[in-house]
Amino acid sequence: MLTETTLTAAERAAIDSVPTGLYIGGQWRGTSGTLPVTDPATGQLLCEVADAEPGAGLDALAAADQAQAEWARTPPRQRSDILMDAHRELLADTERLALIMTLEMGKPLAEARGEIAYAAEFFRWFAEEAVRLDGGYLPAPAGGSRFLVTRQPVGPSLLITPWNFPLAMGTRKIGPALAAGCTCVVKPAEQTPLSMLALADILARVGVPAGVVNVITTSDPSAVMTPLILDSRSRKLSFTGSTAVGKVLLEQCARTVMRTSMELGGNAPFIVFDDANLDEAVEGAVAAKMRNIGQACTAANRIFVQRNVAEEFASRLAARLAALPMGRGTEPGVVVGPLIDAAAVAKVESLVADAVGRGATVRTGGAAVDGPGNFYPATVLTGVPDEAEMCHTEIFGPVAAIGTFTTEAEVVVRANDTPYGLVGYVFTENLRRGLRVCEALETGMVGLNQGVVSNPAAPFGGVKESGLGREGGLTGIDEFLETKYIGVRL
């Protein structure tokens, strides 16, 4: 039996403001069972939300299917205006939404506010794209006819979002779906359902028609989502999560040849050459490693530093990370909040122990904190060998694993020696070298002299086992559109 956490009046008001039912066909409905939502800083109960069973999932899909034709006929300008209203509403509601996010996920309030702004920008970006869906008109090469090319919404879309960015990963999927004219069923992560439920409430207030966006929360995602994936009414799946789960979903989608977008795991290399601006490289490493307490698929997972600057870089980074205040995300000045759950702490502990056992040295941190909550301090390890387990799996915690290299050719080979290919980071003042290495890295994105690459106006996605398709940017809406060719005889 979970103990209910003690909240301030403002915190309790924020939690109580969130509807806790399933949002299906424009109505909130309860369920026979409930799903507990806990505070990772205390391990105690925040509230309980509806726990959907398979029948409720199918009801949500039926609502999306019923609303699809009318939403597809809705003028693009009207869809755009609704998304712009949602953008403004999110920004106006930043403080409440940020507090909800911090309480259920753990990230510091400053980061949560940043995510609200990031999430809102996806609505603005795709509001602008909704009215710019293009096509084509051209003569047949042999003459006698014309080719008309138009684009139409894919149809009802299943959107599965992760716990680490519980609002932004929702708007990054919902924004292009609605802009393209697709209805959707959204399944947020069971650890962090409140941000998505709050978003559903906002979308209803700004005029998204009933059935266009449906939200189902569940403790049994496989039982609820598998029937939807296998249902011929579902025409698109967009998933953000682990590669292992993504592979299972791809197999299921193959049965109905469903369109898919997959944003999966990462193993990002962070490369620092000896001609880099070390001040910028250290700050870039802090950003790339510590964003979201290290719980991001874009986090720097393997840090490679050219040998003759490795010690200076490591010393500076250790000093920076050691100075970061740790605590509950609602506390002033906190930078390192709790990890999502006890299993996450245990994983980080195991990875650090493995690296140390293989010869790595702890420069700061390196041990979990006693007491309530899922806390692990910012940690720097040096001398991490490529054979260490953390070099082959996402750490998903605040651990900077540093190794050294000698030559450009060597580090490119080592950086690419992974089945993943989401993002990489390169720090050098030599433009030619920077471009060479960026082009040689087998990743979908690269940050050159910067530690953050995510931007709603840029295409986000990876190669190899890091995923399929792109979210954001000019191509983000394409994932929700089918191209139709019409031949016209003259």
Side-chain angles (χ1 to χ4, degrees):
M1 184 75 175
L2 288 170
T3 303
E4 187 167 334
T5 191
T6 301
L7 302 177
T8 68
E11 291 167 355
R12 175 49 59 194
I15 294 298
D16 289 346
S17 71
V18 181
T20 57
L22 309 179
Y23 187 63
I24 298 175
Q27 300 293 323
W28 294 98
R29 65 160 78 169
T31 55
S32 58
T34 57
L35 170 66
V37 183
T38 59
D39 181 349
T42 64
Q44 295 178 320
L45 183 70
L46 289 171
C47 67
E48 295 181 335
V49 301
D51 191 0
E53 296 179 344
L58 290 170
D59 288 346
L61 178 58
D65 183 57
Q66 184 175 1
Q68 176 59 51
E70 183 63 28
W71 183 244
R73 287 193 295 267
T74 301
R77 176 60 68 194
Q78 186 174 337
R79 299 199 298 264
S80 174
D81 288 346
I82 288 174
L83 286 172
M84 283 301 296
D85 287 345
H87 163 261
R88 286 188 285 267
E89 188 70 19
L90 284 177
L91 293 181
D93 207 6
T94 292
E95 290 306 312
R96 180 181 72 98
L97 294 172
L99 185 53
I100 292 167
M101 185 183 299
T102 292
L103 290 171
E104 70 170 343
M105 186 266 151
K107 69 180 65 180
L109 272 173
E111 280 202 56
R113 293 184 186 104
E115 182 175 337
I116 306 306
Y118 179 49
E121 189 62 23
F122 282 110
F123 279 166
R124 178 160 67 171
W125 175 264
F126 287 110
E128 293 165 342
E129 291 299 291
V131 295
R132 293 177 174 85
L133 303 181
D134 58 3
Y137 177 84
L138 66 158
S145 66
R146 296 292 182 268
F147 300 159
L148 285 176
V149 179
T150 186
R151 297 201 289 171
Q152 297 177 325
V154 170
S157 300
L158 309 178
L159 312 179
I160 302 177
T161 61
W163 53 261
N164 54 343
F165 293 94
L167 194 65
M169 297 304 95
T171 61
R172 191 159 79 180
K173 298 177 189 299
I174 295 170
L178 268 56
C182 297
T183 61
C184 58
V185 176
V186 187
K187 202 289 291 179
E190 52 266 40
Q191 299 96 326
T192 56
L194 301 180
S195 293
M196 185 56 63
L197 293 171
L199 177 60
D201 192 38
I202 288 172
L203 292 175
R205 293 205 305 266
V206 299
V208 173
V212 172
V213 175
N214 306 273
V215 178
I216 51 175
T217 52
T218 179
S219 62
D220 194 350
S222 178
V224 172
M225 295 306 294
T226 297
L228 275 62
I229 293 171
L230 300 180
D231 194 303
S232 61
R233 293 173 294 181
S234 302
R235 297 312 311 144
K236 163 78 181 180
L237 171 67
S238 178
F239 169 75
T240 297
S242 73
T243 295
V245 173
K247 289 179 178 180
V248 172
L249 296 178
L250 281 170
E251 290 179 358
Q252 294 175 345
C253 290
R255 301 185 198 180
T256 59
V257 196
M258 190 189 302
R259 285 275 295 272
T260 60
S261 300
M262 295 278 161
E263 197 268 280
L264 307 176
N267 190 11
F270 187 101
I271 301 170
V272 181
F273 286 97
D274 58 9
D275 65 346
N277 180 317
L278 283 191
D279 289 335
E280 292 182 357
V282 169
E283 291 308 308
V286 173
K289 179 72 263 182
M290 296 304 298
R291 185 186 185 201
N292 216 47
I293 325 162
Q295 300 173 119
C297 54
T298 54
N301 215 58
R302 298 167 295 151
I303 301 176
F304 300 102
V305 187
Q306 204 153 22
R307 194 173 301 277
N308 58 332
V309 295
E311 176 55 34
E312 183 178 358
F313 176 87
S315 296
R316 291 194 193 185
L317 182 61
R320 282 283 284 111
L321 296 194
L324 299 180
M326 182 172 64
R328 192 167 187 248
T330 54
E331 297 170 4
V334 163
V335 176
V336 184
L339 300 186
I340 188 63
D341 54 29
V345 176
K347 177 184 177 181
V348 172
E349 286 185 302
S350 174
L351 292 174
V352 170
D354 172 78
V356 171
R358 295 175 187 270
T361 300
V362 177
R363 302 292 290 266
T364 188
V369 178
D370 292 332
N374 308 313
F375 291 97
Y376 196 94
T379 296
V380 174
L381 304 180
T382 55
V384 179
D386 291 354
E387 297 76 26
E389 189 179 352
M390 65 172 54
C391 294
H392 302 278
T393 187
E394 286 186 292
I395 301 169
F396 244 59
V399 179
I402 301 176
T404 61
F405 71 93
T406 303
T407 68
E408 176 184 321
E410 169 206 343
V411 77
V412 167
V413 170
R414 291 169 64 191
N416 288 337
D417 186 19
T418 173
Y420 302 100
L422 185 61
V423 63
Y425 303 92
V426 178
F427 280 77
T428 176
E429 292 297 285
N430 184 318
L431 179 60
R432 291 181 179 179
R433 170 189 276 167
L435 292 177
R436 277 198 312 268
V437 175
C438 287
E439 292 184 4
L441 289 179
E442 296 170 353
T443 60
M445 303 174 288
V446 184
L448 180 55
N449 293 324
Q450 63 181 49
V452 176
V453 297
S454 302
N455 191 299
F460 187 103
V463 299
K464 300 196 286 188
E465 292 189 16
S466 285
L468 301 167
R470 294 295 181 268
E471 294 184 308
L474 296 174
T475 58
I477 200 169
D478 293 342
E479 302 290 340
F480 293 89
L481 292 166
E482 297 282 15
T483 297
K484 177 178 283 188
Y485 146 65
I486 302 171
V488 182
R489 183 178 180 181
L490 298 182

